[in-house]
Structure formats: C-alpha cells, structure tokens
C-alpha cells in the first residue's frame, strides 16, 4: 500500500529558530501534497497545498513567509516553520495524493517550541 | 463557508455497547471519507462512500451516506477497547481536491 513518511516525528526547538519537516511518498509519485495542522483535541486544518515544480497555495490566514513549502521532487515536500514561536507548537501532518486522487497521510510531526 | 460538523463530540461507552457518530455537511458532497485517529497517532483512512444512500460494512463498522449526500454516519457494533480513538469524516471542499475534515468524535471504551 501507499506509504508516506515524515521526518522528524517530533522536534523541540527554542523560540526564534526555524524547523524543517520533510514529507516523503515512499512508493508512489505525488504531484500534490497537503500540509495540515492539528491542535490538541481539534480537527485537522489544511494549511497549504504543495505542488511539485510550482509555488504552494496557502489557505486563508496562513502566512506564506512563516510556513515555507518546497516541493522539489515528486516524492518530497518540505515545510519550514521560520522563526518559530510557542503558538506554533502543534501536530503537523502531511498527505500525498496519488494518481487515483486518494490522499495518504504521514505519521505527523509534533513540534514543541519553548 | 462550508462546514462539516460531527456529533457527538465525545462518547464514552462500556465495552460491548454500540456507538454511532453522525457527520453533517453544510453543502452537498461528491464523496465522504472516514478516518480513525488513535491517541497520539495520525489519521488512518477507513473508507470512502460515493453514491447517494450507500451503505458499506467493514466487520463491526457500518458506514452510511445520506440520500442528499450531505450527511453520513459511522456505527460500531459491540465496541472493543481497540476502537478507542477519534473518528473524523471528511469530504471535498467546495468541489476541489482539498479535504475538509469534520470536527471529530472522540470515542472512549471502558473495559
């Protein structure tokens, strides 16, 4: 079955630093990947759509300069949280869409900003 | 904007009891998907329903898509402790390839 990995699975960083999260589709190519954020006991909220070879599209209210997305290949998308602050602490989940338009979710990255 | 609500928000049941979560969309959906998220885990795809009035079963789980394609339900028969988690429905947002997730129902099963 389709497998999506994320790295790291968890990260703790100091306020003001930047954190990069990788999302990889291991056994299929994904022209489109999605980045979600989930706060405790809440639902998943779409942050942005990552398109291979083009700029990401961001949802309303998500700062594109703060959450940098790069989709450099058909199997890799990265999300960089720049100048992270405690309010950015959350569970970040990516999904990759296959040719059948099904989304497969990664295991998530838990970010804690001190 | 488009909203997808689920009720109840929480449900505690004794092992062996049945459980149902209801999903209601403010707009018609071309399909509805259901996911399960275990505590500390990520959403795991359970099923997709496409047709109006469709009913699908997976062992003790029964999924239904409403006739108007605006609501759906997930029913678990004779819950087990392994059913613990949060169940989300999700559908295409504004007929795009983006998903909008429901608010989720957290299920706790007491042995």
């Amino acid at each position: 079955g389709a497998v999506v990995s994320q790295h790291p699975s968890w990260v703790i960083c100091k306020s003001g630093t930047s954190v990069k999260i990788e999302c990889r589709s291991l056994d299929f190519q994904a022209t489109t990947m999605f980045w979600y954020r989930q706060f405790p006991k809440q639902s998943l909220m779409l942050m942005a759509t990552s398109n291979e070879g083009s700029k990401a599209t961001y949802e309303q209210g998500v700062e594109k300069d703060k959450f940098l997305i790069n989709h450099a290949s058909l199997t890799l998308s990265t999300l960089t949280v720049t100048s992270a602050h405690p309010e950015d602490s959350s569970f970040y989940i990516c999904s990759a869409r296959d040719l059948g338009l099904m989304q497969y979710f990664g295991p998530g990255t838990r970010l804690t900003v001190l | 904007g488009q909203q997808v609500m689920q009720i109840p928000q929480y449900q505690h049941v004794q092992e062996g009891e049945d459980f149902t979560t209801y999903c209601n969309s403010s707009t018609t959906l071309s399909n509805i998907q259901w996911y399960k998220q275990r505590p500390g885990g990520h959403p795991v795809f359970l099923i997709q329903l496409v047709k109006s009035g469709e009913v699908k079963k997976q062992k003790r789980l029964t999924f239904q898509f409403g006739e108007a394609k605006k609501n759906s339900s997930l029913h678990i028969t004779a819950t087990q402790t392994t059913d613990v988690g949060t169940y989300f429905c999700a559908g295409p947002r504004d007929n795009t390839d983006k998903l909008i997730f429901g608010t989720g129902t957290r299920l706790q099963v007491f042995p």
Side-chain angles (χ1 to χ4, degrees):
Chain A
V3 179
V4 176
S5 70
Q6 274 185 248
H7 177 81
S9 55
W10 59 270
V11 57
I12 302 173
C13 70
K14 292 183 179 179
S15 186
T17 60
S18 295
V19 174
K20 180 186 282 189
I21 302 170
E22 293 185 350
C23 177
R24 292 180 186 273
S25 56
L26 298 185
D27 51 2
F28 67 101
Q29 294 183 331
T31 55
T32 303
M33 292 184 176
F34 300 92
W35 287 96
Y36 295 84
R37 181 166 53 183
Q38 185 180 35
F39 291 108
K41 299 183 180 181
Q42 293 188 22
S43 187
L44 281 76
M45 298 299 295
L46 181 65
M47 297 176 65
T49 303
S50 172
N51 302 297
E52 187 268 335
S54 65
K55 291 183 179 180
T57 54
Y58 292 81
E59 297 301 306
Q60 194 172 7
V62 178
E63 300 175 55
K64 62 179 182 180
D65 294 329
K66 181 169 183 61
F67 299 98
L68 301 178
I69 291 173
N70 186 291
H71 196 148
S73 77
L74 288 172
T75 59
L76 173 64
S77 175
T78 60
L79 168 68
T80 301
V81 183
T82 62
S83 186
H85 291 284
E87 57 265 29
D88 298 322
S89 299
S90 188
F91 192 42
Y92 292 87
I93 307 171
C94 73
S95 71
R97 193 182 69 184
D98 68 3
L99 293 177
L101 304 183
M102 284 299 301
Q103 288 190 37
Y104 299 93
F105 285 82
T109 297
R110 199 163 300 278
L111 170 64
T112 302
V113 185
L114 302 176
Chain B
Q2 183 184 10
Q3 290 186 322
V4 181
M5 306 295 291
Q6 284 181 251
I7 55 170
Q9 190 175 5
Y10 304 101
Q11 183 88 61
H12 297 175
V13 299
Q14 202 75 33
E15 188 173 24
E17 292 181 339
D18 293 354
F19 159 77
T20 304
T21 171
Y22 298 92
C23 172
N24 294 287
S25 170
S26 58
T27 61
T28 301
L29 302 170
S30 59
N31 68 80
I32 191 117
Q33 300 172 26
W34 284 92
Y35 294 81
K36 177 183 178 181
Q37 185 176 25
R38 292 182 185 273
H42 64 283
V44 174
F45 175 79
L46 295 176
I47 208 162
Q48 176 174 280
L49 304 171
V50 179
K51 297 178 183 177
S52 170
E54 188 172 13
V55 178
K56 285 188 176 180
K57 291 189 176 184
Q58 286 180 351
K59 296 183 181 179
R60 294 178 296 104
L61 277 60
T62 302
F63 304 84
Q64 188 168 11
F65 200 8
E67 294 290 341
K69 301 183 79 173
K70 293 181 70 174
N71 54 69
S72 181
S73 64
L74 159 58
H75 179 81
I76 302 179
T77 303
T79 55
Q80 300 175 358
T81 53
T82 53
D83 296 325
V84 166
T86 301
Y87 293 84
F88 292 100
C89 62
R93 198 183 73 187
D94 298 326
N95 293 317
T96 67
D97 58 352
K98 300 176 182 180
L99 283 178
I100 178 169
F101 277 79
T103 47
T105 295
R106 196 188 325 164
L107 172 64
Q108 181 64 262
V109 180
F110 294 108

mmCIF file of all heavy atoms in Angstrom, chain B residues 83-100:
data_model
loop_
_atom_site.group_PDB
_atom_site.id
_atom_site.type_symbol
_atom_site.label_atom_id
_atom_site.label_comp_id
_atom_site.label_asym_id
_atom_site.label_seq_id
_atom_site.Cartn_x
_atom_site.Cartn_y
_atom_site.Cartn_z
ATOM 1 N N ASP B 83 -11.221 0.032 19.645
ATOM 2 C CA ASP B 83 -11.942 1.042 18.852
ATOM 3 C C ASP B 83 -11.686 2.452 19.359
ATOM 4 O O ASP B 83 -12.120 3.428 18.738
ATOM 5 C CB ASP B 83 -13.453 0.776 18.886
ATOM 6 C CG ASP B 83 -13.833 -0.538 18.234
ATOM 7 O OD1 ASP B 83 -13.173 -0.909 17.232
ATOM 8 O OD2 ASP B 83 -14.772 -1.195 18.724
ATOM 9 N N VAL B 84 -10.981 2.570 20.479
ATOM 10 C CA VAL B 84 -10.704 3.885 21.064
ATOM 11 C C VAL B 84 -9.977 4.770 20.063
ATOM 12 O O VAL B 84 -9.051 4.351 19.376
ATOM 13 C CB VAL B 84 -9.861 3.727 22.342
ATOM 14 C CG1 VAL B 84 -9.271 5.066 22.772
ATOM 15 C CG2 VAL B 84 -10.700 3.148 23.459
ATOM 16 N N GLY B 85 -10.420 6.022 19.980
ATOM 17 C CA GLY B 85 -9.773 6.982 19.088
ATOM 18 C C GLY B 85 -10.760 8.063 18.702
ATOM 19 O O GLY B 85 -11.891 8.113 19.203
ATOM 20 N N THR B 86 -10.332 8.915 17.801
ATOM 21 C CA THR B 86 -11.200 9.957 17.275
ATOM 22 C C THR B 86 -11.545 9.625 15.834
ATOM 23 O O THR B 86 -10.664 9.314 15.032
ATOM 24 C CB THR B 86 -10.525 11.334 17.353
ATOM 25 O OG1 THR B 86 -10.196 11.625 18.709
ATOM 26 C CG2 THR B 86 -11.449 12.428 16.835
ATOM 27 N N TYR B 87 -12.808 9.693 15.531
ATOM 28 C CA TYR B 87 -13.288 9.368 14.193
ATOM 29 C C TYR B 87 -13.659 10.655 13.468
ATOM 30 O O TYR B 87 -14.444 11.464 13.968
ATOM 31 C CB TYR B 87 -14.490 8.427 14.272
ATOM 32 C CG TYR B 87 -14.104 7.060 14.803
ATOM 33 C CD1 TYR B 87 -14.024 6.819 16.169
ATOM 34 C CD2 TYR B 87 -13.770 6.023 13.928
ATOM 35 C CE1 TYR B 87 -13.641 5.578 16.660
ATOM 36 C CE2 TYR B 87 -13.392 4.778 14.402
ATOM 37 C CZ TYR B 87 -13.330 4.560 15.772
ATOM 38 O OH TYR B 87 -12.936 3.333 16.254
ATOM 39 N N PHE B 88 -13.059 10.843 12.316
ATOM 40 C CA PHE B 88 -13.306 12.029 11.502
ATOM 41 C C PHE B 88 -13.957 11.634 10.187
ATOM 42 O O PHE B 88 -13.561 10.672 9.551
ATOM 43 C CB PHE B 88 -11.993 12.744 11.154
ATOM 44 C CG PHE B 88 -11.290 13.379 12.309
ATOM 45 C CD1 PHE B 88 -10.210 12.751 12.911
ATOM 46 C CD2 PHE B 88 -11.681 14.623 12.786
ATOM 47 C CE1 PHE B 88 -9.539 13.339 13.973
ATOM 48 C CE2 PHE B 88 -11.016 15.222 13.849
ATOM 49 C CZ PHE B 88 -9.947 14.570 14.443
ATOM 50 N N CYS B 89 -14.938 12.421 9.786
ATOM 51 C CA CYS B 89 -15.397 12.339 8.414
ATOM 52 C C CYS B 89 -14.716 13.466 7.644
ATOM 53 O O CYS B 89 -14.246 14.443 8.235
ATOM 54 C CB CYS B 89 -16.910 12.462 8.303
ATOM 55 S SG CYS B 89 -17.580 14.039 8.896
ATOM 56 N N ALA B 90 -14.642 13.327 6.354
ATOM 57 C CA ALA B 90 -14.011 14.357 5.525
ATOM 58 C C ALA B 90 -14.594 14.293 4.131
ATOM 59 O O ALA B 90 -14.921 13.207 3.627
ATOM 60 C CB ALA B 90 -12.492 14.173 5.470
ATOM 61 N N GLY B 91 -14.690 15.457 3.513
ATOM 62 C CA GLY B 91 -15.207 15.500 2.157
ATOM 63 C C GLY B 91 -14.513 16.564 1.345
ATOM 64 O O GLY B 91 -13.777 17.391 1.910
ATOM 65 N N PRO B 92 -14.705 16.543 0.042
ATOM 66 C CA PRO B 92 -14.064 17.561 -0.809
ATOM 67 C C PRO B 92 -14.562 18.945 -0.442
ATOM 68 O O PRO B 92 -15.772 19.159 -0.260
ATOM 69 C CB PRO B 92 -14.518 17.168 -2.213
ATOM 70 C CG PRO B 92 -14.963 15.761 -2.108
ATOM 71 C CD PRO B 92 -15.503 15.609 -0.737
ATOM 72 N N ARG B 93 -13.653 19.870 -0.350
ATOM 73 C CA ARG B 93 -14.021 21.231 -0.003
ATOM 74 C C ARG B 93 -14.368 22.004 -1.267
ATOM 75 O O ARG B 93 -13.540 22.120 -2.174
ATOM 76 C CB ARG B 93 -12.882 21.928 0.733
ATOM 77 C CG ARG B 93 -13.333 23.169 1.497
ATOM 78 C CD ARG B 93 -12.165 23.849 2.146
ATOM 79 N NE ARG B 93 -11.350 24.516 1.147
ATOM 80 C CZ ARG B 93 -10.190 25.080 1.414
ATOM 81 N NH1 ARG B 93 -9.683 25.026 2.630
ATOM 82 N NH2 ARG B 93 -9.511 25.683 0.464
ATOM 83 N N ASP B 94 -15.593 22.488 -1.300
ATOM 84 C CA ASP B 94 -16.038 23.304 -2.430
ATOM 85 C C ASP B 94 -15.758 22.615 -3.771
ATOM 86 O O ASP B 94 -15.350 23.256 -4.737
ATOM 87 C CB ASP B 94 -15.351 24.681 -2.392
ATOM 88 C CG ASP B 94 -15.705 25.456 -1.141
ATOM 89 O OD1 ASP B 94 -16.841 25.311 -0.662
ATOM 90 O OD2 ASP B 94 -14.831 26.194 -0.639
ATOM 91 N N ASN B 95 -15.961 21.287 -3.786
ATOM 92 C CA ASN B 95 -15.771 20.503 -5.014
ATOM 93 C C ASN B 95 -14.367 20.615 -5.594
ATOM 94 O O ASN B 95 -14.174 20.505 -6.805
ATOM 95 C CB ASN B 95 -16.793 20.926 -6.077
ATOM 96 C CG ASN B 95 -18.203 20.548 -5.677
ATOM 97 O OD1 ASN B 95 -18.433 19.458 -5.178
ATOM 98 N ND2 ASN B 95 -19.137 21.457 -5.862
ATOM 99 N N THR B 96 -13.399 20.814 -4.721
ATOM 100 C CA THR B 96 -11.993 20.803 -5.145
ATOM 101 C C THR B 96 -11.356 19.498 -4.689
ATOM 102 O O THR B 96 -12.022 18.627 -4.143
ATOM 103 C CB THR B 96 -11.219 21.980 -4.527
ATOM 104 O OG1 THR B 96 -11.140 21.776 -3.110
ATOM 105 C CG2 THR B 96 -11.896 23.310 -4.831
ATOM 106 N N ASP B 97 -10.056 19.373 -4.901
ATOM 107 C CA ASP B 97 -9.359 18.175 -4.442
ATOM 108 C C ASP B 97 -8.869 18.328 -3.007
ATOM 109 O O ASP B 97 -8.169 17.466 -2.491
ATOM 110 C CB ASP B 97 -8.179 17.859 -5.366
ATOM 111 C CG ASP B 97 -7.191 19.018 -5.441
ATOM 112 O OD1 ASP B 97 -7.495 20.105 -4.902
ATOM 113 O OD2 ASP B 97 -6.123 18.836 -6.046
ATOM 114 N N LYS B 98 -9.250 19.424 -2.360
ATOM 115 C CA LYS B 98 -8.860 19.624 -0.969
ATOM 116 C C LYS B 98 -9.916 19.031 -0.057
ATOM 117 O O LYS B 98 -11.102 19.041 -0.368
ATOM 118 C CB LYS B 98 -8.718 21.120 -0.678
ATOM 119 C CG LYS B 98 -7.685 21.802 -1.546
ATOM 120 C CD LYS B 98 -7.638 23.293 -1.288
ATOM 121 C CE LYS B 98 -6.630 23.964 -2.211
ATOM 122 N NZ LYS B 98 -6.560 25.424 -1.980
ATOM 123 N N LEU B 99 -9.463 18.484 1.059
ATOM 124 C CA LEU B 99 -10.379 17.871 2.005
ATOM 125 C C LEU B 99 -10.714 18.823 3.134
ATOM 126 O O LEU B 99 -9.845 19.534 3.646
ATOM 127 C CB LEU B 99 -9.755 16.616 2.613
ATOM 128 C CG LEU B 99 -9.727 15.351 1.783
ATOM 129 C CD1 LEU B 99 -9.027 14.234 2.546
ATOM 130 C CD2 LEU B 99 -11.126 14.910 1.364
ATOM 131 N N ILE B 100 -11.977 18.810 3.527
ATOM 132 C CA ILE B 100 -12.373 19.495 4.743
ATOM 133 C C ILE B 100 -12.782 18.424 5.736
ATOM 134 O O ILE B 100 -13.583 17.520 5.397
ATOM 135 C CB ILE B 100 -13.519 20.518 4.499
ATOM 136 C CG1 ILE B 100 -13.927 21.174 5.819
ATOM 137 C CG2 ILE B 100 -14.700 19.875 3.792
ATOM 138 C CD1 ILE B 100 -14.858 22.365 5.644
#
